[in-house]
Amino acid sequence: MLSLLYIQGRSTKDGANSAKYERVALVELQKLGHEVTGVDLTLSNVEEARKRLNTDQIFWGDMHDLPFKDKSFDGVLMWDVFEHSVAPILALSEVSRVLRDNGRLLMYTPPDTWAEHRVHTIIPTREQMKFLTVKVGLFLKKR
């Protein structure tokens, strides 16, 4: 069994559907026997996820100040959230802090064609992500 943290960022009209898809992924991970914890910036999403997952392990919070102890999780999932960070190095530092040794971060950001979208603050290139991850003690694994 893995202990997994899912981080959701902001709820926008454009992002509402992706949040639902991600919660479906959490349901499937939970069915496989993994311990699922979540954090979301929007209280209504927290309430919906708690009901859907039948758990109280979904918390209201922010990717820049995660409400968890150091080395709490085997994995962290950030899907369509990092591009909303107002302090990317801080967000990644928090992920690094809560990941256990040899833990994994799975992150998806939209392509750079979305860089001008009104709610995106950063769409990092691979080189920028490598720089940021090295700064916080993480590393990129090429797939």
Side-chain angles (χ1 to χ4, degrees):
M1 175 176 74
L2 296 175
S3 176
L4 303 168
L5 171 63
Y6 162 68
I7 302 172
Q8 175 63 33
R10 59 171 51 180
S11 179
T12 65
K13 184 177 179 184
D14 299 328
N17 286 336
S18 67
K20 289 180 184 175
Y21 291 129
E22 291 145 19
R23 283 191 290 277
V24 167
L26 291 183
V27 169
E28 294 304 313
L29 288 166
Q30 192 180 48
K31 285 179 185 175
L32 291 171
H34 299 299
E35 182 182 304
V36 176
T37 302
V39 64
D40 196 299
L41 191 56
T42 306
L43 194 51
S44 61
N45 287 349
V46 170
E47 292 167 355
E48 180 185 335
R50 282 178 177 169
K51 288 177 189 170
R52 185 172 191 146
L53 294 167
N54 193 28
T55 182
D56 60 356
Q57 294 302 301
I58 309 296
F59 302 93
W60 178 76
D62 181 300
M63 71 177 120
H64 303 95
D65 186 21
L66 295 172
F68 307 107
K69 294 179 182 177
D70 296 358
K71 300 183 183 299
S72 296
F73 301 99
D74 299 306
V76 174
L77 172 62
M78 294 177 82
W79 201 269
D80 280 332
V81 64
F82 189 69
E83 63 273 14
H84 302 283
S85 175
V86 294
I89 197 104
L90 181 57
L92 285 176
S93 293
E94 280 294 279
V95 168
S96 179
R97 181 182 67 76
V98 301
L99 272 175
R100 292 185 179 132
D101 294 339
N102 297 312
R104 303 247 174 149
L105 165 63
L106 175 60
M107 179 191 299
Y108 170 81
T109 60
D112 61 6
T113 55
W114 282 74
E116 298 300 318
H117 195 278
R118 62 184 167 75
V119 297
H120 293 161
T121 58
I122 181 173
I123 305 280
T125 64
R126 182 165 178 76
E127 293 77 27
Q128 290 167 328
M129 279 306 299
K130 185 175 182 180
F131 174 81
L132 290 169
T133 54
V134 166
K135 283 290 187 189
V136 301
L138 298 171
F139 65 94
L140 291 178
K141 186 171 183 178
K142 192 170 185 173
R143 286 282 199 187

